[in-house]
Amino acid sequence: MSDLAIAPVLVPLLAGVLLLLLRKGTLRWRRGLGLLSVVVQVLLALALLDATLDGAILIHALGNWPAPFGIILVADRLAAWMLLITALLALFALWHACQGLDVQGRHFHVLFQLQLFGLNGAFLTGDLFNLFVFFEVLLLASYGLVLHGGGPARTLAGLHYVVINLAGSALFLIAAGLFYGLFGTLNLAHLALLMAQTPEANLGPARTAVLLLFGVFALKAALLPLHLWLPATYGRASAPVAALFAIMTKVGAYAILRVATLMLGDAAPGFAGLYQDWLLPLALATLVAGMVGALGARRLTDQAAYLVIASVGTLLIAFGLGGRDAIAAGLYYLPHSTFAAAALFLLSDRIAQGRGALGDRFEPAPDIPAAPLVGALFFLCAVLLAGLPPLSGFIGKFLLLRAALAHPAWPWVLGIVLTSGLLGILALARSGSLLFFRAAAVPGVAAVGAGPVTLGPAIGLLMLALLLTFGAGTWLEVTTAIADQLLEPGLYIQAVLGEG
Amino acid sequence: MEAIISLLVGVLTSCGVYLLLRAQTFSVVLGLTLLSYAVNLFLFASGRLVVGRPPVIGLGPSGYADPLPQALVLTAIVIGFAMTAFVILLALKTRAELGTDQVDGEAGHE
C-alpha cells in the first residue's frame, strides 16, 4: 500500500477543481496554481521513478479493497517513466500557454489539469475498466482543449476527433464486456493469470476481445489505417495543446505495450504474439505514411502532425519487434520524439506569429524577427526529428536498428526506417529553407516580435532532448531496466495479487 | 431471451454503424447514440442473463444476479450521456459556424 502511487492522480484533480473555483480570481493566481501543480507532478514522478527503479512495484488499493475485487493503482518502472515524460512535457506546454494563449478561451487551465488527471490515471491504473474511464477523462478534457481558441476550422477538426473517439470508446466497452463475460474479472493482473488457462472453447471470443482492444489502442496511437484523424486535429489545435497532445498518441502505444507484455506473453500460448503479427507491418506502414505526409504538408503545423505519426510508427516498430533491446530502444525513443515534436509545435506557433497573416504556410514571406535564433532552434528540432547524428534521434534509431537485427524481418525494418529517415530530412530541409532562406517582401504582412523570453518553452524542450543525448548511457540503463521488468509479467501479477 | 438480446444488440449496432457513416451530423449523433445503447445492452449481458434473482448477494439458494456489469453499465450510461450532450452541442456549433450540417463542412452534396 503506497500513497505515492495515487498522488500523481490526485494532484491534478485537486488543482483542476481549485482552478474551477478560482474562475473569477486573477489570471496570475490561476497560472501560478496550474504551474505549481505541474511542478509538483514532476517532483512526484521523479520520486516514483526513484522508488521503483530498484524493482519495487508500488500498489495503492482504493478504499483498501484487495485486488482483484477492488480497483487498484499500480506504479511500476514503466508507469513512473511515462509519468515523468508527461509531467515534463506539460510543464513546458503550460509555460508556453501562460504567455497569452490561455486567455483565448475559458477554462483552459481547468481542462489542462483534467487532461493530466486522465493521462496520469491511464498510466497508473491496473484495471481494464478504469483504463476506459481514464481514457474518457483525458478525451473529454482534450475535446475542450482542441476547441480552445475557437474558429470554424478548429470546430470541424474537433467534431471529427470527437466522433471517431466516441466510436473507439464503444469498441473499448465491447472488448471490456467480452473480457468480463469470459473471465469474470477486469483486473489486468488477474486477467493475465486467467488468460493463461483459457479453455479451448473460449479461445475464439477471447482472441476477438484482445484484437478489439488492439483496435482501440491503435486508434489512440494513430496506427496506419486509423491515423487519418490526427493531422487535422493536431494541425488545427493551438500550439500548447498540440504540444501536450504529443503524449496522447503515446498513451495508445503504452497500452499496447502493457497489454502485449502482461497478458499476451509466453505464459498464455493461445494469445502469444497476437499483437506482434499485426503491429510490425502496420507500424512500418505508419512510419512511411507519416513521412510522406510530412513531405506533402503545406503548413508547418501539419508537417509537425505528420511527424508525430511517423514517430508513433517508429515507436511501435520497436514494440512490435519485442524483446528486451527493442523495447528498451523504444522507451528511449519515446521521450525524445515527444519532446522534439512538442518543441516543433511550439516553435511553429512563434514562426506563425512572426509571419503575420501568412501564418505557418509554406510560402515566401519577409524575414521573421530573431530569425537566426528561431532558425537555429528549428534546425536543432529538424536534426532531432529526422534522426541525424549526433543527437538523441540518431541514438534512438541506432538502438532500434541494432535490436532489429535479431528479428527475421530485419531487412524490411532497416530498409524502411532508413528510407523514411531520408524522407524526413527532405521534408524538413524543404520547410526550413522555405521559412528561413527564401525571404521576400510581401505587402501588408507585419512581423511580430519573438524574443528569447517567448521562445523559452521550446528551448526548454530542446534542452531536455539534449539531456537525453548527453546522458544516453544512463537513460538507456533505465529503459533497459523497464524492459526487463516488463518481460517478467510474473512480478507485476505477484505484486498486485499478493503471494497467494 | 439470449436470442432476443443478441438480435437486439446486433440490430442496434448495425443501425448505429450505418448512421455513423452518414454525411450529416444529426445522423452521426443518432448513430453514436444507437451504438452506445447496443454497447450498454451488451455489457449488461456479459454478467449472464438471469431472471428473478436478487441484484446483490441474497441468502436464498437461488444465487444472485451479477452486480458488477450493472455498475459498469451505469458508468457507461453516465459517460455516454455526457458525451452525447457534448457532441450535440458541437454539432450545433459546427452548423452555426460553417452554415452546413455536412460532416466535411462543405455544403451542397448528399
Side-chain angles (χ1 to χ4, degrees), chain B residues 21-103:
Chain B
L21 298 173
R22 305 282 294 169
Q24 281 164 322
T25 47
F26 179 70
S27 320
V28 170
V29 173
L30 219 55
L32 281 172
T33 318
L34 288 187
L35 204 57
S36 80
Y37 290 163
V39 166
N40 289 341
L41 271 180
F42 180 80
L43 267 185
F44 203 68
S46 72
R48 303 292 183 270
L49 300 168
V50 290
V51 177
R53 303 265 177 86
V56 283
I57 299 173
L59 295 174
S62 61
Y64 57 95
D66 194 342
L68 195 98
Q70 302 173 26
L72 298 188
V73 170
L74 202 61
T75 316
I77 288 176
V78 172
I79 293 179
F81 195 62
M83 292 295 182
T84 310
F86 183 79
V87 85
I88 287 175
L89 265 181
L90 193 57
L92 285 174
K93 192 172 149 74
T94 322
R95 172 79 180 76
E97 285 188 1
L98 300 167
T100 167
D101 63 346
Q102 301 286 314
V103 280

Side-chain angles (χ1 to χ4, degrees), chain A residues 375-399:
Chain A
L377 291 176
F378 179 86
F379 181 68
L380 204 57
C381 236
V383 170
L384 281 167
L385 282 168
L388 291 177
L391 297 181
S392 51
F394 172 73
I395 300 175
K397 270 192 187 165
F398 174 74
L399 292 170

Side-chain angles (χ1 to χ4, degrees), chain A residues 429-447:
Chain A
R430 183 182 71 110
S431 51
S433 61
L434 219 155
L435 289 171
F436 295 103
F437 290 142
R438 280 178 54 190
V442 178
V445 175

Side-chain angles (χ1 to χ4, degrees), chain A residues 39-187:
Chain A
V39 170
V40 170
Q41 286 173 58
V42 173
L43 297 177
L44 280 173
L46 280 172
L48 261 181
L49 192 62
D50 185 51
T52 51
L53 264 188
D54 60 356
I57 296 179
L58 306 181
I59 305 288
H60 184 95
L62 293 167
N64 235 344
W65 287 89
F69 305 108
I71 291 165
I72 51 156
L73 297 173
V74 188
D76 62 350
R77 287 171 182 156
L78 177 62
W81 183 243
M82 298 303 294
L83 285 177
L84 183 62
I85 297 165
T86 310
L88 284 172
L89 179 71
L91 182 62
F92 291 104
L94 192 59
W95 180 11
H96 186 97
C98 283
Q99 291 172 356
L101 279 165
D102 55 345
V103 290
Q104 283 179 3
R106 283 194 295 169
H107 300 311
F108 176 84
H109 289 282
V110 179
L111 290 170
F112 196 90
Q113 295 297 328
L114 289 183
Q115 168 95 63
L116 290 175
F117 166 60
L119 284 166
N120 291 352
F123 293 136
L124 283 171
T125 185
D127 184 279
L128 192 65
F129 195 77
N130 254 44
L131 186 64
F132 164 76
V133 174
F134 280 120
F135 267 18
E136 290 306 302
V137 171
L138 75 89
L139 286 173
L140 249 181
S142 75
Y143 301 155
L145 286 175
V146 165
L147 298 171
H148 177 75
R154 220 165 257 168
T155 310
L156 193 62
L159 181 73
H160 296 175
Y161 174 68
V162 172
V163 168
I164 192 157
N165 274 301
L166 286 181
S169 303
L171 280 185
F172 198 156
L173 277 176
I174 292 175
L178 270 173
F179 272 118
Y180 186 76
L182 290 168
F183 300 107
T185 183
L186 287 167
N187 182 291

Side-chain angles (χ1 to χ4, degrees), chain A residues 494 497-500:
Chain A
Q494 201 183 24
L497 297 179
E499 307 305 316

Side-chain angles (χ1 to χ4, degrees), chain A residues 77 324 327 477 479-489 491:
Chain A
R77 287 171 182 156
R324 176 169 171 261
I327 293 176
E477 274 171 31
T479 57
T480 311
I482 299 171
D484 280 336
Q485 197 179 43
L486 281 175
L487 293 174
E488 291 281 342
L491 298 172

